[in-house]
Amino acid sequence: MRVQFERFTIDPQTRQLLRDGSECHLPPKAFDLLWSLIERRPGVVAKTELHARLWPDTFVVDGSLNVLIGQIRRAIGDDPGRPRFVRTVHGVGYAFCGDAVAAAAKPAQAGQTHCWLTRDEKTYSLGEGGNSIGRDPACTVWLNSPSVSRRHARITVDTGNRRLTLEDLGSRNGTYLAAEPVRGSVDVTKGGRITFGSVELQLHLWNSETASATKRIPRRRR
């Protein structure tokens, strides 16, 4: 579901924040935080819950949340002294305080491709362009494992040319596509199992044209 507030539209499926139709840059965890607040609007989301959502099984200080809130406010032009969108509830957490409504669903464009990675019950959406994978929390896909290098690999999505590439970034323990080691950059033509160090994820691809072509055709009655 896409949500609109003033001149902004946020789309969790494509992981885009738009202002008057133009994309606003927002780091992955800042995007997740903003969407978490919008989902629970106008309720307050406690800091402990946000920590659990954004950094599961990892201890981080409250300053990490403050950094993300600052990134959100800069992206949407919110003044912490007179907030229009994000309200700080001191000692508790944060709340989305702006007027927001569900936006009309964006129709799928011909040949539009969506890509994402899954691990257990967690989903990592991959956006257009380069998506970094690694142990560094700033990576698009953050894998908090000692077997994963800080900047382990990169998946590049080029929907215009219907191309997806996987590249190992000189990792210590290697990247494997369907158990085959990745050397340099390789094209990925379909979903499959990708292993970063000892962490295994499943890559999923969805194309609007393919989905339309494979819809079940009802049998004619004789």
Side-chain angles (χ1 to χ4, degrees):
M1 178 185 69
R2 301 165 73 231
V3 172
Q4 186 172 353
F5 55 100
E6 289 195 6
R7 300 167 64 183
F8 296 94
T9 301
I10 185 168
D11 189 334
Q13 183 179 19
T14 62
R15 293 185 64 82
Q16 288 179 302
L17 175 66
L18 307 175
R19 177 178 178 177
D20 296 331
S22 298
E23 187 165 1
C24 301
H25 173 70
L26 200 59
K29 287 197 179 297
F31 184 97
D32 292 337
L33 173 55
L34 177 58
W35 181 247
S36 295
L37 299 179
I38 288 176
E39 278 189 309
R40 292 278 291 277
R41 67 186 188 278
V44 179
V45 186
K47 291 182 180 180
T48 52
E49 181 178 341
L50 292 172
H51 278 291
R53 285 192 181 190
L54 299 171
W55 297 281
D57 305 319
T58 303
F59 174 78
V60 294
V61 297
D62 282 348
S64 301
L65 268 181
N66 296 338
V67 170
L68 298 184
I69 290 293
Q71 292 172 342
I72 291 171
R73 283 178 169 149
R74 284 192 293 273
I76 61 180
D78 203 26
D79 182 356
R82 301 179 62 183
R84 294 178 297 139
F85 303 119
V86 178
R87 179 169 64 94
T88 301
V89 183
H90 295 288
V92 181
Y94 300 93
F96 188 86
C97 57
D99 292 329
V101 296
K106 185 178 180 180
Q109 300 173 356
Q112 185 176 8
T113 300
H114 294 290
C115 315
W116 65 98
L117 292 165
T118 57
R119 181 190 181 195
D120 298 326
E121 296 182 355
K122 190 169 182 61
T123 300
Y124 304 90
S125 296
L126 302 176
E128 182 75 13
N131 298 267
S132 56
I133 298 99
R135 202 175 72 250
D136 188 334
C139 287
T140 309
V141 178
W142 180 37
L143 302 178
N144 189 25
S145 167
S147 71
V148 176
S149 298
R150 291 188 64 83
R151 291 185 62 81
H152 194 104
R154 178 169 49 238
I155 295 177
T156 302
V157 180
D158 182 357
T159 54
N161 294 310
R162 301 186 187 180
R163 188 181 181 194
L164 190 77
T165 56
L166 171 64
E167 179 184 5
D168 184 85
L169 300 178
S171 66
R172 184 177 66 254
N173 294 316
T175 302
Y176 298 84
L177 176 61
E180 293 294 325
V182 173
R183 296 183 175 88
S185 180
V186 299
D187 286 338
V188 182
T189 57
K190 58 182 179 180
R193 177 166 45 92
I194 304 178
T195 306
F196 306 95
S198 64
V199 180
E200 182 179 300
L201 293 94
Q202 187 72 25
L203 175 67
H204 304 266
L205 304 177
W206 181 90
N207 182 275
S208 58
E209 287 186 350
T210 304
S212 299
T214 57
K215 285 182 179 178
R216 184 179 179 183
I217 302 174
R219 294 181 179 178
R220 293 181 179 178
R221 294 182 178 179
R222 294 180 178 178

